[in-house]
Amino acid sequence: MGDWGVLDLDSDPTPGDPDAVRAMAVRLQHQAEVAEHNTARLRAIASSGGELAMAGDYASLFTEALVELPNGLAKLARAYRGCGDALFTYATGLADAKAQAGGALRDGLDADDRYRVALGEVRALLPPDREWLLWPRAELSEGSISAVTALWDAAALREQVRAAAGRGQVAGADRARARRLALDAAELRGEAARTCAHGIEA
């Protein structure tokens, strides 16, 4: 789970390596250029029929192949280029999604630290016979703090507890906001992946 556990996530919501995807796109674009170059060469050969005229039983078959082969190679070039373009676009979308998820994680870690500090302050202020009243996983919620400060005569300490709990509640809200940003980043990545897959299929 690692650091992502602070956002209640099992792992990075935006898995993948934009640089590796971009490198694959570059290789495909290079293959497209090779295929385009060879297409042009074959078409040039096919159009110079008089200079390369062949005779014999197989001449017509070779001539037909020289006419058809460049068309097939041109299709291959378009396929390589289309896949490369789709991967370039995906690499950009993936990088953007990872940047958003990384920002969300940093915000979440900061919020979690602030929450833990506030929780520590509350626990340090509470006498042992009241600390157990804090609700697990909702320790600084309004309901939990109301329960722990109910019928407590120490007004000054009660206000300090409420102030610390308030800071913790703000931190908890910030952590929840960071989780939503991370989930939004996962959606961005998913949409980019779907767009890429459609481009490759096309």
Side-chain angles (χ1 to χ4, degrees):
M1 185 177 292
D3 289 342
W4 293 103
V6 301
L7 301 181
D8 293 328
L9 298 174
D10 293 333
S11 60
D12 182 355
T14 57
D17 183 347
D19 291 336
V21 174
R22 202 171 284 112
M24 186 182 298
V26 168
R27 288 197 298 273
L28 288 171
Q29 295 286 26
H30 174 69
Q31 292 299 323
E33 290 170 5
V34 170
E36 288 164 354
H37 175 71
N38 289 334
T39 298
R41 289 181 63 190
L42 283 171
R43 282 185 172 149
I45 291 171
S47 66
S48 61
E51 302 170 17
L52 299 174
M54 287 183 279
D57 296 340
Y58 297 101
S60 62
L61 293 175
F62 279 112
T63 301
E64 184 179 335
L66 280 174
V67 171
E68 292 298 323
L69 191 56
N71 294 333
L73 197 54
K75 289 180 182 178
L76 182 62
R78 285 195 299 273
Y80 276 131
R81 191 162 295 284
C83 288
D85 289 344
L87 286 172
F88 268 124
T89 301
Y90 175 59
T92 299
L94 177 59
D96 290 345
K98 289 188 82 66
Q100 180 172 321
L105 178 58
R106 287 189 296 275
D107 291 347
L109 288 169
D110 174 70
D112 190 63
D113 285 343
R114 288 185 285 119
Y115 184 89
R116 290 177 185 278
V117 168
L119 179 58
E121 291 175 2
V122 168
R123 284 186 167 147
L125 290 166
L126 291 174
D129 65 335
R130 286 186 174 270
E131 185 180 346
W132 70 272
L133 292 168
L134 291 173
W135 299 345
R137 292 189 60 80
E139 296 93 344
L140 301 184
S141 67
E142 191 57 41
S144 182
I145 295 302
S146 293
V148 93
T149 57
L151 304 175
W152 192 15
D153 294 334
L157 286 176
R158 187 170 61 237
E159 289 309 310
Q160 289 179 53
V161 166
R162 287 199 163 278
R167 291 191 293 274
Q169 289 164 5
V170 169
D174 290 344
R175 187 172 54 191
R177 190 176 304 111
R179 172 180 162 77
R180 288 194 298 274
L181 285 173
L183 293 176
D184 288 346
E187 284 295 320
L188 288 175
R189 178 201 177 271
E191 183 58 35
R194 286 188 291 273
T195 300
C196 178
H198 291 156
I200 290 173
E201 288 172 3

